[in-house]
C-alpha cells in the first residue's frame, strides 16, 4: 500500500465532504448522530465480535491488563457511546451564530459568523469509544473528520466506523465526512499531520510522548493537551474547613485525571496549624506525602526533590510545599505548573483577585476543587480535550473550540472613500 | 556572536518581562505608549540620521526605488508613528475583561478572563515604522515583544527601539518588554521561530515567500497572512448601479492592497447587459482586463489562462469570468480564492444568505466593496495583520487577536461529587 497516496486520497475526500457538512442543516447533522446511535445499538454483536479480535491479538502481543481493559468494548461502554451520541445531538448547534453586528461610521454593518474549521484530524490511542466521541463532536460542529486510532483497536474502530458511515448515509451526508484510517502503518500519522491542504487542525489524544512527537513534526496547527500539574494553594486567610475539603477532593476524588492536584502549597503563616489536619486527612486516604524541609519539620513526609515539583503523579502521591505567602505561591506555580488548573483557598478579596490575574493557567479558581476543570462541569456540554495551549482554545475544548469565526459585512452598495 | 545563545537570552528576558507587562495596569501601559510618542518627537534628528545611514547603505547595495521609498523615515512618517501611538493608547484595554459568568448546577460560577498571549515575535521587512506599530499593539494587549526587522533598516529600527526603551522606562516597565534583535544574521530568525519555551506566537509581516518559509520551519504557532485573491460576484439579481460602483471601488481604490478585487465574476444571465458597462468603467481607469471565452465574446479582453484565476496582481489588471449563477460563483471562489475577502452584489435575499454561508473566506460581504476588509473599517481600532488562517484569529487581527481567554471559577469551598 502506498501510504502517501492513500492518505492524500483520504484528505481529498475529507476536504470535499467538509464543504457538504458545513452547508448541512442542524437537523441533518442531528439525524446522522441519532442514526449512528441506532446503528450502534443494532450492531452490538458485530461490535463485540470485532472487539474480541482486538482483545485476542492484544493478549497474544502481551498487552498488560490496564491496556486490555481500556481496549474492551463492554455492553456498558456501548451504552455510553449511544448515550453520548444522543447528548451531542441535543446540544445547541454552534454553526451559523452571528454576533456583534454593529454599524460602522462608513455605513457598513459588520459582525462575526461562527463556522466550522473544516477538516479535523484526531490521533488517539487504544480506547475505541474515542472514535464515536470525537467523530460526533466534529460532526455536530460542521466539520469532516479523519480518525487515526491505535493499531491495537483497529477492528473495533472499523466496526464503529461502519455504524457511523451508515448513520451518515441515512441522513444524506457523505460517508467520507468521517473516515477511520484503514492502515495501522505509522507512516499514516506522519502524512496526516503534514497535509495542511487537506487538514485544518490536529487534536491528539493520548500520552505526553505521543503529543510531543506530533507537535514537533506537524505542519498543521495542533490543539494540544500536555500534562496536568495542578496546584491548590492554602492561603493564611483560608477558611480551614474549605481548605481541607477542597484539598482532599482535588487530590483523592480521582487520582488518574489531568485536573487532579499534584502539589499542595501552604502559606507559612498557617502551616503549623493546618498541615497536621491536612496530613491526617491524606494519610487516612492512603496518600503518600512528599514534603519540603519546612513541611517535614511539621508533619511526617518523604523528602521532596526538585523532580517532585514537576511531577504529574496520576497516583496517590502528593507533593507538599510551604511557601512565603501569596507571592511565594504564585512564583512556585508560574515556575512549575503546567498551566492547566490552579486554585487558591482564601477569604481575602485582594489575594483572590491577585491569584486570578497573576497565575497564568488555563483555569484559575478560588475556593473550588481543581477537579471542576472539565467541559461538562463548565457547561460546554461535551469536551474533545483540555488545551494547555494559549492560542485558539485554552482549557476545556467543547464544540466552540472546533469552530472559528469569519467576518460578515452587509452593505447597500457601499464603497470605500 | 553566538546567535543561539544571544537569542536564548533575548527569549528569557522577554519571558520574564511578559509576566510584569501582564500584571501592569492599563494606566502604566498607556503611559509607556504616550512616553514613547514623546521620545520619538524629541528624537526626530537622531531618527533621521540613523535612517540616512540605512538609505546610504541601501543605495550602495543597489536597492530599487520602491524599496528605498519604503525604507525612508520622512517627517510625515514620524508624525504618523507618533499619532499611531496616541491612538493605540486611547483604545480600550482588552486585558482582564471577564465575560460569560454563569452559575453551574454544581454551584460553581464559571466565566472567561481575557489575558495576554505572553511573548509575541514579529518578523518584518523593510518598513521601519512597523517597529512602532507592532510594538505598540503588543504592549497595549499586555504582551512582551521580540522584533526582527529587515537588515536594510537595522539602524532606523535600533533608533526607534531606543525611544521605545526610554518610554517603557519612564512608565516603570522593563526595557526588555520590547526588544529589537540587534543582529542582521539570518540565523536569528531561525532561532526566534523555534523557541516555544520563550515565544508564544509569531506574526510575520511581509511577502508570501517570507511567510511560507516561516510557517514551514516554525515550532511556534504563526498568525499568517498569505495572499489576497479577492472576488466580487455580480449576480443576475444585482442592482446594476451598485454592481458598477462596488466593482470599480474594489479594484481601483488601491491596486496594491490585499483586499483589492483580483477577479470579477459575472452571472451569465446578465453578462451581456452589464459586462460592457463594467468594461468601459475599468478601461477608463486604465485597468487591463483578462477574460474567459464567454467574457471575450461580449467585451474586448486579453485571453485569461488558469494562472489568472490564481493571480494576486496587486496591479491594474483584472481577471473576468462569466459563471453559471450563484453555484458557479461559489464553486469558482472556493476553488481559487485565497479565503481572504469575497463579496456578492445582489438584491436577492436567499442568494445573499447562501453566499454568506457557503463562501469559506475570512470576510464575506453583500453589496459592499472588498476594500472594507480592514481592522480600522471593522472597528478594531488597529490591525497587526489580516489572518488567512482558520484557527485562533481569522480576518483582520486587532488587539483581541493578541490575547487569549482563560477560565475563572469562583466557589465557596465547592468540591466535585
Amino acid at each position: 500500500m502506498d501510504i502517501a497516496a492513500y492518505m492524500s486520497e483520504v484528505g481529498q475526500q475529507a476536504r470535499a465532504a467538509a464543504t457538504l457538512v458545513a452547508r448541512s442543516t442542524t437537523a441533518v447533522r442531528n439525524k446522522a448522530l441519532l442514526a449512528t446511535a441506532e446503528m450502534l445499538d443494532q450492531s452490538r454483536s458485530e461490535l463485540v465480535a470485532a472487539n474480541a479480535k482486538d482483545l485476542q491479538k492484544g493478549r497474544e502481543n502481551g498487552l498488560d491488563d490496564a491496556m486490555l481493559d481500556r481496549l474492551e468494548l463492554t455492553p456498558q461502554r456501548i451504552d455510553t457511546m449511544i448515550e453520548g451520541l444522543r447528548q451531542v445531538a441535543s446540544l445547541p448547534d454552534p454553526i451559523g451564530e452571528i454576533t456583534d453586528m454593529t454599524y460602522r461610521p462608513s455605513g457598513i454593518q459588520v459582525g462575526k459568523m461562527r463556522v466550522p474549521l473544516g477538516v479535523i484530524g484526531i490521533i488517539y490511542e487504544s480506547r475505541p469509544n474515542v472514535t464515536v466521541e470525537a467523530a460526533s463532536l466534529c460532526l455536530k460542529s460542521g466539520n469532516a473528520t479523519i480518525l487515526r486510532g491505535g493499531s491495537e483497536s483497529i477492528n473495533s474502530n472499523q466496526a464503529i466506523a461502519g455504524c457511523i458511515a451508515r448513520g451518515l448515509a441515512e441522513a444524506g451526508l457523505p460517508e467520507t465526512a468521517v473516515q477511520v484510517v484503514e492502515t495501522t502503518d505509522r507512516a499514516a500519522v506522519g502524512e496526516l499531520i503534514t497535509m495542511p491542504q487537506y487538514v485544518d487542525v490536529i487534536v491528539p489524544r493520548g500520552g505526553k510522548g505521543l503529543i510531543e512527537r506530533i507537535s514537533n513534526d506537524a505542519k498543521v496547527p495542533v490543539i494540544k493537551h500536555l500534562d496536568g500539574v495542578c496546584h491548590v494553594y492554602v492561603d493564611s486567610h483560608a477558611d480551614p474547613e474549605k481548605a481541607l475539603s477542597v484539598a482532599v477532593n482535588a487530590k483523592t476524588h480521582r487520582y488518574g485525571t489531568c485536573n487532579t492536584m499534584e502539589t499542595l502549597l501552604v502559606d507559612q503563616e498557617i502551616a503549623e496549624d493546618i498541615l497536621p489536619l491536612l496530613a491526617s486527612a491524606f494519610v487516612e486516604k492512603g496518600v503518600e506525602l512528599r514534603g519540603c524541609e519546612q513541611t517535614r519539620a511539621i508533619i511526617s513526609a518523604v523528602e521532596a526533590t526538585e523532580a517532585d515539583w514537576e511531577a504529574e503523579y496520576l497516583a496517590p502521591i502528593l507533593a507538599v510545599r510551604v511557601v512565603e505567602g501569596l507571592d511565594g505561591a504564585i512564583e512556585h506555580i508560574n515556575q512549575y505548573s503546567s498551566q492547566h488548573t490552579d486554585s487558591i483557598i482564601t477569604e481575602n478579596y485582594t489575594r483572590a483577585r491577585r491569584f486570578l490575574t497573576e497565575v497564568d493557567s488555563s483555569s484559575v479558581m478560588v475556593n473550588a476543587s481543581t477537579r471542576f476543570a472539565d467541559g461538562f462541569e463548565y457547561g460546554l456540554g461535551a469536551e474533545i480535550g483540555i488545551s494547555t495551549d494559549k492560542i485558539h482554545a485554552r482549557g476545556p475544548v467543547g464544540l466552540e473550540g472546533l469552530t472559528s469565526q469569519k467576518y460578515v459585512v452587509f452593505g447597500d452598495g457601499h464603497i470605500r472613500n
Side-chain angles (χ1 to χ4, degrees), chain A residues 233 235-239 344-349 351-352 366-367:
Chain A
Y233 163 60
D235 181 59
S236 62
H237 290 218
D239 173 328
I344 184 174
I345 313 300
T346 193
E347 296 301 311
N348 182 291
Y349 166 84
R351 293 189 192 180
V366 181
N367 294 336

Side-chain angles (χ1 to χ4, degrees), chain A residues 319-339:
Chain A
V320 184
R321 190 174 199 176
V322 172
V323 293
E324 280 189 48
L326 180 63
D327 286 317
I330 291 172
E331 197 178 320
H332 178 97
I333 291 171
N334 284 342
Q335 179 169 359
Y336 295 105
S337 158
S338 62
Q339 306 194 300

